[in-house]
Amino acid sequence: YFFRLSKYTEKLKQIIDSEQIKIYPAHRKNEVLQFIEQGLEDISISRSNARAKNWGVPVPKDDSQRMYVWFDAPIGYISATKELFKQKNEPNGWEKYWKDEDSKLVHFIGKDNIVFHTLIFPMLLMAKGDMILPTNVPANEFLNFEGKKFSKSQNWGIFLQDYQKDFPGKTNADILRYALANNLPETKDSDFTWKDFQARNNNELVAIFGNFINRVVVLTNKYYNGIVPTPNEFSEVDENTLAELKAYPAVISSSVERYRFREALGELMNVARLGNKYLADEEPWKVMKDNPERVKTQMYVALQIAAALSVLAEPFLPFTAAKLSKILNLGDLKEHFEGFSKFLKEKNRDAKDIILDKTLGWNDITENSDLIPAGHKIGEAELLF
């Protein structure tokens, strides 16, 4: 049996050209368009039993044939969703994933699977007629290990159970996530090395992110017994720093929504760099001798950056974000704001702008300069990494 690719070729070319289906990186998009321009032949979607040796999924209504695996496998994405909703006793629930125009279908693939996920499967969905098409296909290149291809048969690579044995604990899981995300082969093949892994931890996570948080928490406990100070008048530097902080949720989310994860992670680290630069330039440990009132404002600003990091880090470093949230006692803020909101309601005042039904979120960073309010007590210093 054959599937008539030729019937849908021109329509698919228009969809890819117009970027209704975005393929990243650009050279992979060009590769797909070249396939189309060369002319796509109709492809066989089954094998005879003799050829398939009775292995595989029988063709409906014809037991003498077996499905070609790469025709059948993408359809498995849909049937798996159907199976899930059967188990949830929602037999039609799968349709909102595969038919609802508000759903977004994204194919995260390696470059060796590009033909199936940018040509064959989209054409199957087009042929079905009532299914959504993928909106994005981030097609990564290959990740190698210490200069060679990963190989199970040659025992060459990193196996997670071994990593967890050698590097136990949740923080070390985040360190691996960080190293891998920084080394994503988005536009060309990349190489994971233990030396780079060590450098990412020591020179970035410890020296930039961890160093900033440690200084903020240590100084807050040293100067104010862990109580967030009430700021005085903001200088131009303070206002510019807080304004820059407010811009980061949009910058990072833009990178994430375009599936540029390395870029997004780099911007997250820029938030920590912003905090380090602010402290290095302002030098509250020196100012404390002559102008302790100014230091209250400096530490207040630094604490806002620390709170923002606990939120912005979560997609990349979830365990670290939770650890930082605990150090800053951000879980207590829910009760703080809910109590304040109750007080305002009792006074017949509008509380909608300050009610938090959860801990801090991305919108709070953009809209609110008071992420950790004065008077809030943070915890003791603890090394993040």
Side-chain angles (χ1 to χ4, degrees), residues 152-163:
K152 275 190 177 181
S153 60
Q154 295 179 31
N155 199 36
W156 185 254
I158 301 169
F159 299 89
L160 281 180
Q161 64 270 30
D162 296 332
Y163 178 85

Side-chain angles (χ1 to χ4, degrees), residues 215-283:
R215 287 203 286 182
V216 172
V217 176
V218 167
L219 290 175
T220 304
N221 278 284
K222 179 180 178 181
Y223 296 155
Y224 312 112
N225 294 318
I227 305 294
V228 178
T230 301
N232 295 296
E233 185 178 351
F234 290 110
S235 70
E236 185 179 351
V237 171
D238 301 333
E239 289 177 348
N240 288 343
T241 300
L242 291 172
E244 190 173 342
L245 178 64
K246 286 184 176 184
Y248 272 106
V251 170
I252 296 171
S253 60
S254 171
S255 297
V256 170
E257 286 162 8
R258 290 180 292 113
Y259 311 103
R260 312 295 203 268
F261 300 121
R262 288 171 62 180
E263 181 180 285
L265 194 54
E267 294 295 349
L268 170 68
M269 292 303 289
N270 283 339
V271 179
R273 289 186 177 95
L274 174 70
N276 275 319
K277 184 177 187 307
Y278 178 78
L279 287 181
D281 291 347
E282 292 297 298
E283 299 182 310

Side-chain angles (χ1 to χ4, degrees), residues 204-221 268-269 271-276 279 299 301-311 313 317 320-321 323-328 330 372 378-385:
E204 296 173 22
L205 290 176
V206 174
I208 299 171
F209 196 127
N211 179 55
F212 169 66
I213 295 301
N214 192 58
R215 287 203 286 182
V216 172
V217 176
V218 167
L219 290 175
T220 304
N221 278 284
L268 170 68
M269 292 303 289
V271 179
R273 289 186 177 95
L274 174 70
N276 275 319
L279 287 181
M299 293 311 303
V301 171
L303 282 158
Q304 305 312 309
I305 299 172
L309 278 169
S310 75
V311 177
L317 306 167
T320 302
K323 189 174 179 181
L324 176 53
S325 179
K326 188 177 179 184
I327 291 170
L328 297 176
L330 293 182
I372 299 188
I378 68 170
E380 297 291 327
E382 183 182 344
L383 293 179
L384 282 184
F385 305 100

Side-chain angles (χ1 to χ4, degrees), residues 305-349:
I305 299 172
L309 278 169
S310 75
V311 177
L312 298 172
E314 189 174 12
F316 313 97
L317 306 167
F319 299 119
T320 302
K323 189 174 179 181
L324 176 53
S325 179
K326 188 177 179 184
I327 291 170
L328 297 176
N329 281 334
L330 293 182
D332 291 348
L333 286 179
K334 180 179 177 183
E335 292 179 18
H336 169 84
F337 279 104
E338 284 179 345
F340 188 38
S341 128
K342 184 179 178 184
F343 165 78
L344 289 179
K345 283 181 178 176
E346 288 170 355
K347 301 291 183 183
N348 292 318
R349 289 175 58 190

Side-chain angles (χ1 to χ4, degrees), residues 58 76 81 86 90 115 144 155 210 218 245 288 296 303 307 352 373:
T81 316
K86 275 186 194 173
E90 298 175 40
V115 169
N144 296 315
N155 199 36
V218 167
L245 178 64
M288 192 68 180
K296 289 180 181 178
L303 282 158
K352 65 181 172 55

